[in-house]
Amino acid sequence: MKRNLIVVFVAMLSMHAFSQENMVILSGGYSFANIEDTDVKGTGWRINGTYEYNPMGGMFSHGVSFGYIHLTATEEVGQLTSDYTINSFPLYYAPKVMFGNDRFKAFLKGALGVQFAGLNRTGVIELSDNDFGFYGGGGAGIMIFISDKIFINGEYEIAWASNSWYSDGWMNTAMGGIGFRF
């Protein structure tokens, strides 16, 4: 009897392992943010990679995301000009709730993690610094499946990026990309 129970238990665990879905999403797009203590908006681009684990193929998934954001801005006050360059490397946990069918899904996602940032300001006052801080926010998007394993991903994300010594602010990104489900 013990032997039969152990066999059934191991078989049930195996079924759970085979019923998961994993996804990898590679995306990029336009990013913008207001730079703190100025009236300028930094604009630029972002590339991002996400690995997601979807237990039991359900509507909830857990992901880890890493990206690179590059923003530039120019501020003119009278005859004085200042140029800003901001680089950020966000690393965060990205839970997702998906709605839809096998061909089209909409989703809401969260972002909770950290970001490593660099600021370079040239002009009247020269400033260069690297810092570490909080990165958190959310987003929404769609997944359009081309086949069972490949899909097109489109999303909008807004997140608060803080630093301990300089410029906190809202980071906005509109991205498109490709995903693979395995």
Side-chain angles (χ1 to χ4, degrees):
M1 183 68 174
K2 282 184 188 178
R3 185 180 205 190
N4 291 338
L5 287 175
I6 290 172
V7 169
V8 169
F9 179 71
V10 169
M12 295 301 247
L13 284 177
S14 304
M15 290 174 54
H16 179 72
F18 286 115
S19 66
Q20 74 183 13
E21 289 181 345
N22 296 309
M23 291 184 271
V24 173
I25 304 167
L26 304 171
S27 56
Y30 174 74
S31 191
F32 63 95
N34 289 330
I35 298 173
E36 189 177 68
D37 301 329
T38 68
D39 292 330
V40 297
K41 182 189 295 184
T43 59
W45 51 273
R46 175 179 182 167
I47 55 174
N48 207 57
T50 303
Y51 170 78
E52 289 185 2
Y53 165 74
N54 186 322
M56 306 293 284
M59 65 186 292
F60 298 104
S61 69
H62 307 278
V64 176
S65 189
F66 179 73
Y68 173 71
I69 303 169
H70 177 80
L71 302 173
T72 58
T74 300
E75 179 181 33
E76 294 181 14
V77 179
Q79 298 291 332
L80 306 174
T81 301
S82 295
D83 293 320
Y84 294 88
T85 302
I86 298 172
N87 298 308
S88 178
F89 295 92
L91 173 64
Y92 57 92
Y93 168 64
K96 187 186 282 186
V97 178
M98 297 176 282
F99 311 96
N101 56 30
D102 291 339
R103 302 308 284 167
F104 178 84
K105 291 187 181 194
F107 63 84
L108 297 172
K109 73 173 201 170
L112 182 62
V114 297
Q115 54 104 15
F116 305 91
L119 170 72
N120 188 17
R121 178 182 174 183
T122 59
V124 177
I125 299 174
E126 301 283 328
L127 173 69
S128 181
D129 193 14
N130 293 312
D131 209 348
F132 171 83
F134 173 76
Y135 187 88
I142 59 170
M143 297 186 300
I144 302 169
F145 286 85
I146 298 170
S147 70
D148 290 346
K149 303 291 183 193
I150 300 172
F151 59 92
I152 296 172
N153 188 64
E155 65 183 274
Y156 177 80
E157 179 180 293
I158 183 168
W160 178 256
S162 70
N163 294 287
S164 59
W165 294 103
Y166 68 88
S167 300
D168 301 342
W170 289 103
M171 193 81 67
N172 298 274
T173 305
M175 292 186 287
I178 189 163
F180 303 96
R181 180 168 58 180
F182 51 94

